[in-house]
């Protein structure tokens, strides 16, 4: 397609210079002298015709117009006092939230399997997955409000999809939640260092207390399961699911 457009551009210039009618080949393209093209069929940078005239191509493959999607985006009119480090950190954190959401969802799907059958554990991780994806959407909305550019990254798959028990799934999730909280604290500190009160207030209002509360809840569940003898005692996970997580499902 590109070569066909180049041939039409050349035909227009040759016709306008030599004042002769345009001929088409069997493919519907202008029939141009072979000297206009190199051995690979690409247009040459210049050409000297048989009547002594010379011209330079309007464009060559190296100087083709750049698509608009590749051009740098113009500065946003709503962006004000938003440091690039804060912008990059917010983009990194909401991608981490999407990763945490995928890990929690994978745990929920595993625990709902027929050969595991821990329904209340599964709903516990489903709710957590929805919370992580909701926080990611809030951060993306914040980026739009501040006139920033949203940068998506590759979301890595969960390290494991076979957790064997509810206790192991909660331990893995606890490690991930602490990593998310560490990233959140870094974002808080960055907002303070770069004098961004709006970002700091947004994070303090929507994130800090909820993240700390969930980590505390998760640590309590892990401690209770360990004291009940899980995972060595098979009955411990089932009792905890029905008596603890089951009651919380009824409240929610």
């Amino acid at each position: 397609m590109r070569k066909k457009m180049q041939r039409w551009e050349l035909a227009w210039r040759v016709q306008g210079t030599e004042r002769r009618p345009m001929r088409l080949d069997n493919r519907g393209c202008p029939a141009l002298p072979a000297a206009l093209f190199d051995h690979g069929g690409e247009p040459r940078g210049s050409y000297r015709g048989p009547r002594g005239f010379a011209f330079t191509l309007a464009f060559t493959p190296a100087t083709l117009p750049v698509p608009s999607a590749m051009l740098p985006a113009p500065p946003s009119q709503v962006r004000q006092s938003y440091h690039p480090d804060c912008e990059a950190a917010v983009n990194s954190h909401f991608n981490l939230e999407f990763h945490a959401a995928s890990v929690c969802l994978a745990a929920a799907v595993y625990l709902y399997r027929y050969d595991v059958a821990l329904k209340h554990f599964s709903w516990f991780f489903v709710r957590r997955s929805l919370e992580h994806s909701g926080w990611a959407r809030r951060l993306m909305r914040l980026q739009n409000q501040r006139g920033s550019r949203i940068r998506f990254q590759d979301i890595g798959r969960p390290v494991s999809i076979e957790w064997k028990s509810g206790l192991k799934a909660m331990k893995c999730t606890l490690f991930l939640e602490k990593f998310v909280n560490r990233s959140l604290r870094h974002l808080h500190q960055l907002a303070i260092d770069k004098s961004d009160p709006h970002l700091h207030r947004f994070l303090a209002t929507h994130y800090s207390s909820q993240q700390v509360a969930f980590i505390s809840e998760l640590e309590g569940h892990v401690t209770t399961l360990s004291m009940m003898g899980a995972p060595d005692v098979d009955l411990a996970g089932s009792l905890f699911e029905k008596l603890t997580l089951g009651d919380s499902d009824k409240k929610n």
Side-chain angles (χ1 to χ4, degrees):
M1 185 64 183
R2 187 179 68 181
K3 289 184 179 181
K4 189 173 182 179
M5 294 175 62
Q6 291 173 341
R7 292 179 68 90
W8 277 105
E9 179 71 10
L10 290 172
W12 179 81
R13 291 185 175 274
V14 172
Q15 184 191 27
T17 307
E18 294 188 344
R19 306 293 183 185
R20 59 185 175 85
M22 185 185 303
R23 300 194 310 274
L24 301 179
D25 59 15
N26 56 1
R27 296 177 299 173
C29 297
L32 299 174
L36 284 172
F37 302 92
D38 58 18
H39 297 292
E42 296 291 337
R44 299 181 185 275
S46 61
Y47 169 71
R48 183 170 297 277
R51 299 184 183 180
F53 71 92
F55 68 92
T56 303
L57 300 186
F59 56 84
T60 60
T63 59
L64 286 173
V66 180
S68 58
M70 298 175 61
L71 295 175
S76 173
Q77 297 182 358
V78 300
R79 186 185 181 108
Q80 183 179 4
S81 302
Y82 197 28
H83 198 278
D85 291 347
C86 294
E87 176 186 6
V90 171
N91 279 326
S92 176
H93 189 76
F94 84 70
N95 280 282
L96 178 60
E97 293 284 359
F98 276 132
H99 172 70
S102 67
V103 172
C104 291
L105 186 60
V109 171
Y110 171 79
L111 294 169
Y112 201 79
R113 274 172 30 178
Y114 73 94
D115 54 343
V116 182
L118 295 175
K119 180 180 67 174
H120 297 297
F121 271 100
S122 178
W123 283 116
F124 176 83
F125 285 105
V126 165
R127 287 195 300 270
R128 190 57 185 170
S129 176
L130 293 175
E131 290 175 359
H132 278 299
S133 59
W135 290 346
R137 290 194 299 271
R138 292 190 194 101
L139 288 172
M140 293 165 65
R141 193 180 305 120
L142 171 70
Q143 293 287 73
N144 283 333
Q145 292 173 350
R146 297 294 298 269
S148 175
R149 295 291 183 265
I150 296 175
R151 308 293 183 189
F152 289 98
Q153 302 170 4
D154 293 336
I155 300 175
R157 66 179 183 85
V159 178
S160 174
I161 57 174
E162 297 284 339
W163 281 273
K164 306 299 181 183
S165 66
L167 176 61
K168 185 176 180 181
M170 284 194 166
K171 284 184 176 180
C172 293
T173 306
L174 179 59
F175 176 81
L176 177 62
E177 294 294 342
K178 289 182 177 180
F179 185 78
V180 173
N181 191 51
R182 186 159 58 247
S183 173
L184 188 59
R185 291 202 313 269
H186 168 72
L187 192 55
H188 267 281
Q189 190 60 45
L190 193 61
I192 296 174
D193 295 341
K194 302 303 179 182
S195 302
D196 195 330
H198 177 264
L199 177 59
H200 181 265
R201 185 167 57 252
F202 177 87
L203 296 173
T205 303
H206 293 88
Y207 286 93
S208 296
S209 58
Q210 299 178 23
Q211 183 70 18
V212 171
F214 181 75
I215 290 177
S216 177
E217 178 187 3
L218 201 55
E219 287 179 334
H221 290 338
V222 170
T223 301
T224 302
L225 278 168
S226 299
M227 292 176 63
M228 293 175 65
D232 297 330
V233 180
D234 295 335
L235 190 60
S238 299
L239 290 174
F240 178 84
E241 185 209 18
K242 294 179 180 179
L243 299 178
T244 302
L245 298 181
D247 290 341
S248 64
D249 286 346
K250 293 178 182 178
K251 294 178 182 178
N252 293 329

Coordinates of all heavy atoms in Angstrom, one line a residue, residues 5-60:
M5 N 1.1 4.2 -3.0 CA 1.0 5.7 -2.7 C 2.2 6.4 -3.2 O 2.1 7.5 -3.8 CB 0.8 5.9 -1.2 CG -0.6 5.4 -0.7 SD -0.7 5.6 1.1 CE -0.7 7.4 1.1
Q6 N 3.4 5.9 -3.0 CA 4.6 6.5 -3.5 C 4.6 6.6 -5.0 O 5.0 7.6 -5.6 CB 5.8 5.8 -3.0 CG 6.0 5.9 -1.5 CD 7.2 5.0 -1.0 OE1 7.5 4.1 -1.7 NE2 7.7 5.3 0.2
R7 N 4.2 5.5 -5.7 CA 4.1 5.6 -7.1 C 3.2 6.6 -7.7 O 3.4 7.3 -8.6 CB 3.8 4.2 -7.7 CG 4.8 3.1 -7.4 CD 4.4 1.8 -8.0 NE 4.3 1.8 -9.4 CZ 5.3 1.4 -10.2 NH1 6.5 1.1 -9.7 NH2 5.2 1.4 -11.5
W8 N 2.0 6.8 -7.0 CA 1.1 7.8 -7.4 C 1.7 9.2 -7.2 O 1.5 10.1 -8.0 CB -0.2 7.7 -6.7 CG -1.1 6.7 -7.2 CD1 -1.4 5.5 -6.8 CD2 -1.9 6.9 -8.4 NE1 -2.3 4.8 -7.6 CE2 -2.7 5.7 -8.6 CE3 -2.1 7.9 -9.3 CZ2 -3.5 5.5 -9.7 CZ3 -3.0 7.7 -10.4 CH2 -3.6 6.5 -10.6
E9 N 2.5 9.4 -6.1 CA 3.1 10.7 -5.9 C 4.1 11.0 -6.9 O 4.2 12.1 -7.5 CB 3.7 10.7 -4.5 CG 4.5 12.0 -4.1 CD 3.5 13.1 -3.8 OE1 2.3 12.9 -3.8 OE2 4.0 14.3 -3.8
L10 N 4.9 10.0 -7.3 CA 5.9 10.2 -8.3 C 5.3 10.4 -9.7 O 5.7 11.3 -10.5 CB 6.8 8.9 -8.4 CG 7.7 8.7 -7.2 CD1 8.4 7.3 -7.4 CD2 8.8 9.7 -7.2
A11 N 4.2 9.7 -10.0 CA 3.5 9.9 -11.3 C 3.0 11.3 -11.4 O 3.1 11.9 -12.5 CB 2.4 8.9 -11.4
W12 N 2.5 11.8 -10.3 CA 2.0 13.2 -10.4 C 3.1 14.2 -10.7 O 2.9 15.1 -11.5 CB 1.3 13.5 -9.0 CG 0.8 14.9 -8.9 CD1 -0.4 15.4 -9.4 CD2 1.4 16.0 -8.3 NE1 -0.5 16.7 -9.1 CE2 0.6 17.2 -8.5 CE3 2.7 16.2 -7.7 CZ2 1.0 18.4 -8.0 CZ3 3.0 17.4 -7.2 CH2 2.2 18.5 -7.4
R13 N 4.2 14.0 -10.1 CA 5.3 14.9 -10.3 C 5.9 14.8 -11.7 O 6.3 15.7 -12.3 CB 6.4 14.7 -9.2 CG 6.0 15.2 -7.8 CD 7.1 15.1 -6.8 NE 6.6 15.7 -5.6 CZ 6.7 16.9 -5.2 NH1 7.2 17.8 -6.1 NH2 6.2 17.4 -4.1
V14 N 6.0 13.5 -12.2 CA 6.6 13.3 -13.5 C 5.6 13.9 -14.5 O 6.0 14.5 -15.5 CB 6.8 11.8 -13.8 CG1 7.2 11.5 -15.2 CG2 7.9 11.3 -12.9
Q15 N 4.3 13.6 -14.4 CA 3.4 14.2 -15.3 C 3.4 15.7 -15.3 O 3.3 16.3 -16.4 CB 2.0 13.6 -15.0 CG 0.9 14.1 -16.0 CD -0.5 13.8 -15.5 OE1 -0.7 13.8 -14.3 NE2 -1.4 13.6 -16.4
G16 N 3.5 16.3 -14.2 CA 3.5 17.8 -14.1 C 4.7 18.4 -14.7 O 4.7 19.5 -15.2
T17 N 5.8 17.6 -14.7 CA 7.1 18.2 -15.3 C 7.2 17.9 -16.8 O 7.6 18.8 -17.5 CB 8.3 17.5 -14.6 OG1 8.1 17.7 -13.1 CG2 9.6 18.2 -15.0
E18 N 6.8 16.7 -17.2 CA 7.0 16.4 -18.6 C 5.8 16.7 -19.5 O 5.9 16.6 -20.7 CB 7.3 14.9 -18.7 CG 8.7 14.5 -18.1 CD 9.0 13.0 -18.4 OE1 8.1 12.3 -18.8 OE2 10.2 12.7 -18.3
R19 N 4.7 17.0 -18.9 CA 3.5 17.4 -19.6 C 3.0 16.3 -20.6 O 2.8 16.5 -21.7 CB 3.7 18.7 -20.4 CG 4.2 19.9 -19.6 CD 3.2 20.3 -18.7 NE 3.6 21.5 -18.0 CZ 2.9 22.1 -17.0 NH1 1.8 21.6 -16.6 NH2 3.4 23.2 -16.4
R20 N 2.9 15.1 -20.0 CA 2.5 14.0 -20.8 C 1.5 13.2 -20.1 O 1.4 13.2 -18.8 CB 3.7 13.1 -21.2 CG 4.5 12.4 -20.1 CD 5.7 11.7 -20.6 NE 6.5 11.2 -19.5 CZ 6.2 10.0 -18.8 NH1 5.2 9.3 -19.1 NH2 7.0 9.7 -17.9
P21 N 0.6 12.4 -20.8 CA -0.5 11.7 -20.1 C 0.1 10.6 -19.2 O 1.1 10.1 -19.5 CB -1.3 11.1 -21.2 CG -0.4 11.1 -22.4 CD 0.5 12.3 -22.2
M22 N -0.7 10.2 -18.2 CA -0.3 9.2 -17.2 C -0.7 7.8 -17.7 O -1.8 7.6 -18.1 CB -0.9 9.5 -15.8 CG -0.4 8.5 -14.8 SD -1.3 8.9 -13.2 CE -1.0 10.6 -13.0
R23 N 0.2 6.9 -17.7 CA -0.1 5.5 -18.0 C -0.1 4.6 -16.8 O 0.6 4.8 -15.8 CB 1.0 4.9 -19.0 CG 1.1 5.7 -20.3 CD 1.9 4.9 -21.3 NE 3.1 4.4 -20.8 CZ 4.3 5.1 -20.8 NH1 4.3 6.3 -21.2 NH2 5.4 4.6 -20.3
L24 N -1.0 3.6 -16.8 CA -1.2 2.7 -15.7 C -0.7 1.3 -16.1 O -0.9 0.9 -17.2 CB -2.6 2.7 -15.2 CG -3.3 4.0 -14.7 CD1 -4.7 3.8 -14.3 CD2 -2.5 4.6 -13.6
D25 N -0.1 0.6 -15.1 CA 0.2 -0.8 -15.4 C -0.9 -1.7 -15.1 O -2.0 -1.3 -14.8 CB 1.5 -1.1 -14.5 CG 1.3 -1.0 -13.0 OD1 0.1 -0.9 -12.7 OD2 2.2 -1.0 -12.3
N26 N -0.7 -3.0 -15.1 CA -1.7 -4.0 -15.0 C -2.2 -4.1 -13.5 O -3.2 -4.7 -13.3 CB -1.3 -5.4 -15.4 CG 0.0 -5.8 -14.7 OD1 0.5 -5.1 -13.9 ND2 0.5 -7.0 -15.1
R27 N -1.6 -3.5 -12.6 CA -2.0 -3.5 -11.2 C -2.8 -2.2 -10.8 O -3.2 -2.0 -9.7 CB -0.9 -3.6 -10.2 CG -0.1 -4.9 -10.3 CD 1.1 -5.0 -9.4 NE 2.0 -3.9 -9.8 CZ 3.1 -3.6 -9.1 NH1 3.3 -4.2 -7.9 NH2 3.9 -2.6 -9.5
G28 N -3.0 -1.3 -11.8 CA -3.7 -0.1 -11.6 C -2.8 1.0 -11.0 O -3.3 2.1 -10.6
C29 N -1.4 0.8 -11.0 CA -0.5 1.8 -10.5 C 0.1 2.5 -11.7 O 0.1 2.0 -12.8 CB 0.6 1.1 -9.7 SG 0.0 0.3 -8.2
P30 N 0.6 3.8 -11.5 CA 1.2 4.5 -12.6 C 2.4 3.7 -13.1 O 3.2 3.2 -12.3 CB 1.6 5.8 -11.9 CG 0.7 5.9 -10.7 CD 0.5 4.5 -10.2
A31 N 2.5 3.7 -14.4 CA 3.7 3.1 -15.1 C 4.8 4.1 -15.1 O 4.8 5.0 -15.9 CB 3.3 2.6 -16.5
L32 N 5.8 3.9 -14.3 CA 6.9 4.8 -14.1 C 8.2 4.2 -14.6 O 8.3 3.0 -14.7 CB 7.1 5.2 -12.6 CG 5.9 5.9 -12.0 CD1 6.1 6.1 -10.5 CD2 5.6 7.2 -12.7
P33 N 9.2 5.0 -15.0 CA 10.4 4.5 -15.5 C 11.1 3.7 -14.4 O 11.0 4.0 -13.3 CB 11.3 5.8 -15.8 CG 10.2 6.8 -16.0 CD 9.1 6.5 -15.1
A34 N 11.8 2.6 -14.9 CA 12.5 1.7 -13.9 C 13.6 2.4 -13.2 O 13.9 2.0 -12.1 CB 13.1 0.5 -14.7
A35 N 14.1 3.5 -13.7 CA 15.2 4.2 -13.1 C 14.8 4.9 -11.8 O 15.6 5.4 -11.0 CB 15.8 5.3 -14.0
L36 N 13.4 5.1 -11.6 CA 12.9 5.7 -10.4 C 13.1 4.9 -9.2 O 13.0 5.4 -8.1 CB 11.5 6.1 -10.6 CG 11.1 7.3 -11.5 CD1 9.6 7.4 -11.7 CD2 11.7 8.6 -10.9
F37 N 13.3 3.6 -9.4 CA 13.3 2.6 -8.2 C 14.7 1.9 -8.2 O 15.3 1.7 -9.2 CB 12.2 1.6 -8.4 CG 10.8 2.3 -8.4 CD1 10.3 2.7 -9.6 CD2 10.2 2.6 -7.2 CE1 9.0 3.3 -9.7 CE2 8.9 3.3 -7.3 CZ 8.4 3.6 -8.5
D38 N 15.1 1.4 -7.0 CA 16.3 0.7 -6.9 C 15.9 -0.8 -7.1 O 14.8 -1.2 -7.5 CB 16.9 0.9 -5.5 CG 16.0 0.6 -4.4 OD1 15.0 -0.2 -4.6 OD2 16.2 1.0 -3.2
H39 N 16.9 -1.7 -6.8 CA 16.7 -3.1 -7.1 C 15.6 -3.7 -6.2 O 15.0 -4.7 -6.5 CB 18.0 -3.9 -6.9 CG 19.1 -3.5 -7.9 ND1 19.0 -3.8 -9.2 CD2 20.2 -2.8 -7.7 CE1 20.0 -3.3 -9.9 NE2 20.8 -2.7 -9.0
G40 N 15.4 -3.1 -5.0 CA 14.4 -3.7 -4.1 C 13.0 -3.1 -4.3 O 12.1 -3.4 -3.6
G41 N 12.9 -2.3 -5.3 CA 11.6 -1.7 -5.6 C 11.3 -0.4 -4.8 O 10.2 0.1 -4.9
E42 N 12.2 0.1 -4.0 CA 12.0 1.3 -3.2 C 12.4 2.5 -4.1 O 13.3 2.5 -4.9 CB 12.9 1.3 -2.0 CG 12.5 0.2 -1.0 CD 11.1 0.4 -0.4 OE1 10.7 1.6 -0.4 OE2 10.5 -0.6 0.1
P43 N 11.7 3.7 -3.9 CA 12.0 4.9 -4.7 C 13.4 5.4 -4.4 O 13.9 5.3 -3.2 CB 10.9 5.9 -4.2 CG 9.9 5.0 -3.6 CD 10.5 3.8 -3.1
R44 N 14.1 5.9 -5.4 CA 15.4 6.5 -5.2 C 15.2 7.9 -4.7 O 14.1 8.5 -4.7 CB 16.2 6.5 -6.5 CG 16.5 5.2 -7.1 CD 17.2 5.3 -8.4 NE 17.5 4.1 -9.1 CZ 18.4 3.2 -8.8 NH1 19.3 3.5 -7.8 NH2 18.5 2.1 -9.4
G45 N 16.2 8.5 -4.1 CA 16.2 9.8 -3.6 C 16.1 10.9 -4.7 O 15.5 12.0 -4.5
S46 N 16.6 10.7 -5.9 CA 16.5 11.6 -7.0 C 16.5 10.9 -8.3 O 16.9 9.7 -8.4 CB 17.7 12.6 -6.9 OG 18.9 11.9 -7.1
Y47 N 16.2 11.6 -9.4 CA 16.1 11.0 -10.7 C 16.3 12.0 -11.8 O 15.8 13.1 -11.7 CB 14.7 10.4 -10.9 CG 14.4 9.9 -12.3 CD1 15.0 8.8 -12.8 CD2 13.4 10.7 -13.1 CE1 14.7 8.4 -14.1 CE2 13.2 10.3 -14.4 CZ 13.8 9.1 -14.9 OH 13.5 8.8 -16.2
R48 N 17.1 11.6 -12.8 CA 17.4 12.5 -13.9 C 16.7 11.9 -15.1 O 17.0 10.8 -15.6 CB 18.9 12.7 -14.2 CG 19.2 13.6 -15.3 CD 20.7 13.9 -15.3 NE 21.1 14.6 -14.1 CZ 21.0 15.9 -13.9 NH1 20.4 16.7 -14.8 NH2 21.4 16.4 -12.8
G49 N 15.7 12.6 -15.7 CA 14.9 12.1 -16.8 C 15.7 12.1 -18.1 O 16.7 12.8 -18.2
P50 N 15.1 11.6 -19.2 CA 15.8 11.5 -20.5 C 15.9 12.9 -21.1 O 16.7 13.1 -22.0 CB 14.9 10.5 -21.3 CG 13.6 10.6 -20.6 CD 13.9 10.8 -19.1
R51 N 15.0 13.8 -20.8 CA 15.1 15.2 -21.4 C 15.9 16.2 -20.7 O 15.8 17.4 -20.9 CB 13.6 15.7 -21.5 CG 12.7 14.8 -22.4 CD 11.4 15.4 -22.6 NE 10.5 14.5 -23.3 CZ 9.2 14.8 -23.7 NH1 8.7 15.9 -23.3 NH2 8.5 13.9 -24.3
G52 N 16.7 15.7 -19.7 CA 17.6 16.6 -19.0 C 17.1 17.2 -17.8 O 17.8 18.0 -17.1
F53 N 15.8 16.9 -17.4 CA 15.3 17.5 -16.1 C 15.6 16.6 -15.0 O 15.8 15.4 -15.2 CB 13.8 17.8 -16.2 CG 13.0 16.5 -16.2 CD1 12.5 16.0 -15.0 CD2 12.7 15.8 -17.4 CE1 11.7 14.9 -15.0 CE2 11.9 14.7 -17.4 CZ 11.4 14.2 -16.2
A54 N 15.7 17.1 -13.8 CA 15.9 16.3 -12.6 C 15.0 16.8 -11.5 O 14.6 18.0 -11.5 CB 17.4 16.5 -12.1
F55 N 14.6 15.9 -10.6 CA 13.8 16.2 -9.4 C 14.1 15.3 -8.3 O 14.7 14.3 -8.5 CB 12.3 16.2 -9.8 CG 11.8 14.8 -10.0 CD1 11.3 14.0 -9.0 CD2 11.9 14.2 -11.3 CE1 10.8 12.7 -9.2 CE2 11.4 12.9 -11.5 CZ 10.9 12.2 -10.5
T56 N 13.8 15.8 -7.1 CA 14.0 15.0 -5.9 C 12.6 14.5 -5.4 O 11.6 15.2 -5.5 CB 14.6 15.8 -4.8 OG1 15.8 16.3 -5.3 CG2 14.9 15.0 -3.5
L57 N 12.6 13.3 -4.9 CA 11.3 12.7 -4.5 C 10.7 13.5 -3.3 O 11.4 14.1 -2.5 CB 11.5 11.3 -4.0 CG 12.1 10.3 -5.0 CD1 12.1 8.9 -4.4 CD2 11.2 10.3 -6.2
A58 N 9.4 13.6 -3.4 CA 8.7 14.3 -2.3 C 8.9 13.7 -0.9 O 9.0 14.4 0.1 CB 7.2 14.4 -2.6
F59 N 9.1 12.4 -0.9 CA 9.4 11.7 0.3 C 10.1 10.4 0.0 O 9.8 9.8 -1.1 CB 8.2 11.5 1.3 CG 7.1 10.7 0.6 CD1 7.1 9.4 0.6 CD2 6.0 11.5 0.0 CE1 6.0 8.7 -0.1 CE2 5.0 10.8 -0.6 CZ 5.0 9.4 -0.6
T60 N 10.9 9.9 0.9 CA 11.5 8.6 0.8 C 11.1 7.8 2.1 O 10.6 8.4 3.0 CB 13.0 8.7 0.7 OG1 13.5 9.4 1.9 CG2 13.4 9.5 -0.5

